[in-house]
């Protein structure tokens, strides 16, 4: 038998569908950035699904913040290296 409960990836798809009117209203140059936020959420879907939080938006937002923190650290490291730091 198949699963009776939707996966967290299904939940992300549903949330993304709900936000499509907002996405369409964004300027064209902001739409790829909006899409990337959901890519971040999908990248951490396994951990988010394991959490099984009552509000699906909470782990989605934490996933986005985590990816942005990782990216920020990478950029800071690249700047340090470019400046000749360690």
């Amino acid at each position: 038998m198949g699963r009776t409960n939707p996966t967290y990836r299904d939940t992300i798809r549903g949330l993304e569908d709900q936000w499509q009117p907002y996405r369409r209203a964004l300027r064209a140059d902001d739409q790829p950035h909006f899409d990337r936020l959901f890519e971040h959420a999908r990248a951490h879907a396994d951990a988010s699904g394991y959490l099984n939080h009552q509000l699906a938006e909470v782990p989605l937002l934490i996933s986005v913040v985590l990816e942005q923190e990782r990216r920020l650290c990478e950029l800071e490291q690249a700047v340090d290296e470019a400046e000749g730091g360690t």
Side-chain angles (χ1 to χ4, degrees):
M1 261 196 233
R3 290 189 103 170
T4 57
N5 296 328
T7 65
Y8 190 74
R9 291 179 194 283
D10 294 335
T11 302
I12 292 172
R13 272 191 292 276
L15 288 169
E16 193 170 11
D17 289 344
Q18 289 176 6
W19 280 90
Q20 283 308 302
Y22 178 85
R23 183 191 182 281
R24 283 191 299 275
L26 288 172
R27 293 183 176 136
D29 58 337
D30 287 332
Q31 290 178 0
H33 300 294
F34 178 84
D35 295 341
R36 196 165 308 121
L37 297 178
F38 281 95
E39 289 173 19
H40 295 330
R42 283 188 288 276
H44 297 284
D46 292 339
S48 296
Y50 186 76
L51 178 61
N52 198 26
H53 198 279
Q54 287 180 329
L55 300 173
E57 296 85 352
V58 172
L60 185 143
L61 292 172
I62 294 298
S63 296
V64 169
V65 170
L66 178 61
E67 282 295 312
Q68 290 181 347
E69 176 66 18
R70 184 185 58 77
R71 179 81 171 133
L72 180 62
C73 287
E74 289 173 358
L75 291 170
E76 287 174 341
Q77 185 177 14
V79 167
D80 286 347
E81 290 172 4
E83 292 176 345
T86 52

